Amino acid sequence: MANEPVSTWFKLYCLTVMTLVAATYTVSLRYTRTASSVLYFSTTAVCINEVIKLLLSLVMLVRETGDVTRCKASLVQHIFRSPRELLKLSVPSLVYAIQNNMAFVALSNLDAAVYQVTYQLKIPCTALCTVLMLNRSLSRMQWFSVFLLCGGVTLVQWTPPESTKVQVEQNPLLGFVAIAVAVVCSGFAGVYFEKVLKSADTSLWVRNIQMYLSGIVVTFIGVIVTDGAEIMEKGFFYGYTPWVCMVVFLASVGGMYTSVVVKYTDNIMKGFSAAAAIILSTIASVILFGLQITMTFVTGTTLVCISIYMYGLPKQDTSKITSTHKEETQKLTSV
Ligand code: NCC
């Protein structure tokens, strides 16, 4: 399963769904946090999200193994007899739990457009984590293209901040701090998960189950510590409207698609491909629904295209330069 080849169309499909879900998720989450004065507990939403992802991953594992008996055997081997692996996966699950909670804090205090734009800083942060944690190197050109992409996506996604009145008080500073934390968490947890996933032949669904199990524990502790007293009074599902259920569902589906995308590409490519998917879906909306294209969109698209081209350029062979440099230095020191 680990190196099972998949078609480019399948990758493109996963990327497009992931990106569309992420866009819908951000807007719906913002709506549920600001449109009504009856607020649900965001910690419970993050916790339920982990439970749904665990159930979905179990279904996928049954599909992958072919039947329930083999699925059970796989679970016994990888869950009950592998406490070290569970511990390993508890690291990203803790970091993702913080990140997912931060998204609620940020979107409760900042406009969705401002959030989307600032959150793009995760692209260079992910690149930095990839270099540091996976020992990959990026040429100067690739670094430049990463920042160019960040700027391009910012312009492509830019929509004027909403002018509608929100029902709750907002604290923009808290919102920006939450985004900063989310950016670092997204980069670190994404690359950590990728490292664990690609360092062994273990199935993606098993890795997900390992991660979501500790995710449930961690997020449940978050529920008790943060909102425990109020939940005892009002109930776990207080304030859950159909919109809130949709947000939880989108978060689960988005998370599952993210894991598939990381499996078949990598975290930096996820950033680049997500940008391409945003552009393609906007162009599709222009053709299908007659959406107006703005100058900012065109500029952003141009930057994204240039950045994708630059990122793909072959790296300069610096090894030859370095060895010639070493020889020269040796000659000089021997003199
Ligand atoms: O920020 P981002 O992803 O890197 O966050 C990754 C999300 O995927 C979940 N995940 C990751 C790995 C894995 N094996 N299983 C998972 O469930 C994590 O729990 C985390 O929620 C992006 O690249 O922009 C992306 O953004 C999120 C989301 O929009 C932001 O985090 C804002 O809250 C998208 N998630 C959803 O749309 C629900 C994600 O698809 C893409």
Side-chain angles (χ1 to χ4, degrees), residues 22 53 99-100 115 119 122 186 193 208 212 254-255 258-259 270:
K53 287 188 294 190
Q99 182 202 324
N100 291 335
Y115 171 85
Y119 192 52
K122 72 169 189 283
S186 163
F193 184 77
N208 275 352
Y212 301 147
T258 306
S259 68
K270 169 164 88 83

Side-chain angles (χ1 to χ4, degrees), residues 65-271:
T65 49
D67 64 62
V68 180
T69 322
R70 264 182 278 177
C71 173
K72 259 190 200 163
S74 176
L75 288 178
V76 170
Q77 185 197 342
H78 294 288
I79 309 293
F80 299 106
R81 296 205 186 124
S82 307
R84 265 191 64 165
E85 295 301 297
L86 274 181
L87 205 64
K88 229 195 253 178
L89 268 299
S90 65
V91 176
S93 78
L94 172 66
V95 180
Y96 272 139
I98 298 174
Q99 182 202 324
N100 291 335
N101 276 295
M102 286 303 123
F104 279 88
V105 176
L107 281 162
S108 305
N109 292 286
L110 290 173
D111 174 74
V114 177
Y115 171 85
Q116 289 273 36
V117 167
T118 331
Y119 192 52
Q120 295 315 319
L121 283 172
K122 72 169 189 283
I123 300 173
C125 185
T126 302
L128 185 67
C129 290
T130 303
V131 169
L132 296 179
M133 292 163 65
L134 297 180
N135 286 330
R136 280 190 209 149
S137 65
L138 292 189
S139 64
R140 272 197 206 148
M141 182 79 96
Q142 286 179 318
W143 272 115
F144 180 69
S145 64
V146 162
F147 283 98
L148 202 64
L149 176 73
C150 189
V153 179
T154 302
L155 290 181
V156 165
Q157 290 204 317
W158 178 253
T159 47
E162 62 196 22
S163 53
T164 44
K165 209 163 159 34
V166 293
Q167 302 289 320
V168 283
E169 225 176 90
Q170 305 201 60
N171 179 348
L173 180 66
L174 180 64
F176 282 118
V177 172
I179 290 192
V181 176
V183 160
V184 176
C185 289
S186 163
F188 173 81
V191 176
Y192 186 107
F193 184 77
E194 184 183 341
K195 190 173 175 157
V196 176
L197 185 66
K198 293 179 180 169
S199 62
D201 222 16
T202 314
S203 141
L204 167 70
W205 306 117
V206 168
R207 287 303 188 201
N208 275 352
I209 292 168
Q210 290 172 333
M211 186 162 81
Y212 301 147
L213 274 174
S214 38
I216 294 174
V217 176
V218 169
T219 52
F220 191 67
I221 293 174
V223 171
I224 296 171
V225 173
T226 320
D227 301 311
E230 258 195 285
I231 286 176
M232 289 302 277
E233 200 185 298
K234 296 178 176 167
F236 194 88
F237 292 105
Y238 172 77
Y240 271 60
T241 59
W243 271 104
V244 179
C245 297
M246 195 184 96
V247 165
V248 175
F249 174 72
L250 286 174
S252 313
V253 175
M256 299 289 285
Y257 273 95
T258 306
S259 68
V260 178
V261 166
V262 170
K263 177 181 161 63
Y264 293 117
T265 63
D266 62 48
N267 276 287
I268 302 184
M269 283 306 291
K270 169 164 88 83

